[in-house]
Amino acid sequence: MRLGGPYQQLERHLLRNFIKYAHRDMVARDSFWHWLSMAQHHGLPTRLLDWTHSPLVAMHFATANTEKFDRDGVIWSINYEQCHTLLPEPMKQSLDSEGANTFTCELLVQAVPSLEQLDRMSNDPFLLFFEPPSMDDRIVNQFALFSVVSNASIGLNSWIEGHGSLCRKIVIPASLKWEVRDKLDQCNVTERVLFPGLDGLTRWLYRHYSPKQRD
């Protein structure tokens, strides 16, 4: 959907070529879900969406762009444990046998080793969440989580429309954004921490020293 056009057919070509050309940065034992996480992490359009376990990190991303401080911000919260009660039985059993409430790449590859198999598991689209491998400090510091819908032609907004009781939409009014942003900075929830390295440092400094329009 991020590309437009016949995106369902493009998905496998994108991933195949990513794996082909990114091989130097991965090893043969890495699973398909590891490859998919790496592709999403580095900006490839995939059906994954980025989430976080941390409400503070969510507030950071809702208030990081000072050019949009004249608009309300939104945080979406989904009860992923309840989502997982709607999974096909083999996937629920995989979580239950591990005593886990969310998947890892290792658990996923045992339950469903490819997107094609994921698509075939149920006629009713379902949503699952998994924790990506700790590829770098950014993943760790952001308390990262990925979601994936079982059908490539179904957007998350469509899934939410049918499962509204599992979701919450939290609005941050534009009038409160500067106050929220200041408190996050005091808690050290900043680009410098969430994006370790020089890029995060410069993004933090750029925002921190930009003029603040509070009216």
Side-chain angles (χ1 to χ4, degrees), residues 15 17 36 42 87 100 102 116 121 126 134 156 176 190 200 210 212 214:
L15 293 172
N17 282 288
L36 187 62
H42 287 282
L87 292 175
T102 190
E116 290 77 13
M121 292 196 76
F126 58 88
S134 299
L156 185 60
L176 291 179
T190 69
S210 294
K212 295 178 173 57
R214 297 178 182 273

Side-chain angles (χ1 to χ4, degrees), residues 25 36 42 45 61 82 88 91 107 109 119 129 154-155 166 187:
D25 297 319
L36 187 62
H42 287 282
F61 284 105
Q82 286 298 311
M91 302 195 75
L107 274 179
V109 78
D119 294 340
F129 288 81
I154 301 295
L166 302 181
C187 294

Side-chain angles (χ1 to χ4, degrees), residues 5-144:
Y7 52 85
Q8 299 97 322
Q9 289 75 39
L10 292 173
E11 182 177 49
R12 66 179 185 274
H13 300 302
L14 281 167
L15 293 172
R16 184 184 68 251
N17 282 288
F18 177 82
I19 292 171
K20 175 182 176 182
Y21 292 109
H23 68 279
R24 289 175 298 177
D25 297 319
M26 303 283 280
V27 294
R29 63 178 169 77
D30 286 324
S31 70
F32 166 79
W33 291 99
H34 195 134
W35 282 104
L36 187 62
S37 300
M38 177 72 78
Q40 170 73 10
H41 187 58
H42 287 282
L44 190 76
T46 76
R47 71 170 83 173
L48 302 185
L49 285 179
D50 294 89
W51 297 79
T52 176
H53 286 288
S54 168
L56 295 180
V57 172
M59 281 191 285
H60 165 81
F61 284 105
T63 60
N65 189 342
T66 56
E67 294 180 1
K68 296 183 178 180
F69 269 35
D70 59 334
R71 309 177 214 173
D72 292 348
V74 169
I75 296 171
W76 281 97
S77 171
I78 292 186
N79 187 331
Y80 66 83
E81 292 188 34
Q82 286 298 311
C83 287
H84 288 168
T85 66
L86 306 176
L87 292 175
E89 195 59 35
M91 302 195 75
K92 287 196 290 186
Q93 290 178 359
S94 177
L95 283 177
D96 291 343
S97 63
E98 189 67 22
N101 53 31
T102 190
F103 289 95
T104 62
C105 288
E106 291 73 23
L107 274 179
L108 270 180
V109 78
Q110 295 172 21
V112 52
S114 71
L115 287 177
E116 290 77 13
Q117 288 177 264
L118 185 74
D119 294 340
R120 294 194 297 266
M121 292 196 76
S122 174
N123 291 326
D124 297 321
F126 58 88
L127 178 69
L128 68 85
F129 288 81
F130 72 97
E131 295 179 342
S134 299
M135 294 174 282
D136 58 26
D137 290 340
R138 194 169 107 197
I139 289 281
V140 176
N141 292 2
Q142 293 179 15
F143 300 93

Side-chain angles (χ1 to χ4, degrees), residues 167-204:
C167 312
R168 292 176 63 201
K169 181 181 179 180
I170 303 162
V171 177
I172 301 177
S175 60
L176 291 179
K177 273 190 167 181
W178 277 117
E179 182 179 352
V180 171
R181 186 66 259 170
D182 286 345
K183 286 179 167 54
L184 289 172
D185 287 346
Q186 291 168 16
C187 294
N188 207 26
V189 182
T190 69
E191 298 86 345
R192 184 174 61 86
V193 174
L194 300 180
F195 297 89
L198 296 180
D199 290 342
L201 174 61
T202 54
R203 286 165 66 174
W204 170 64

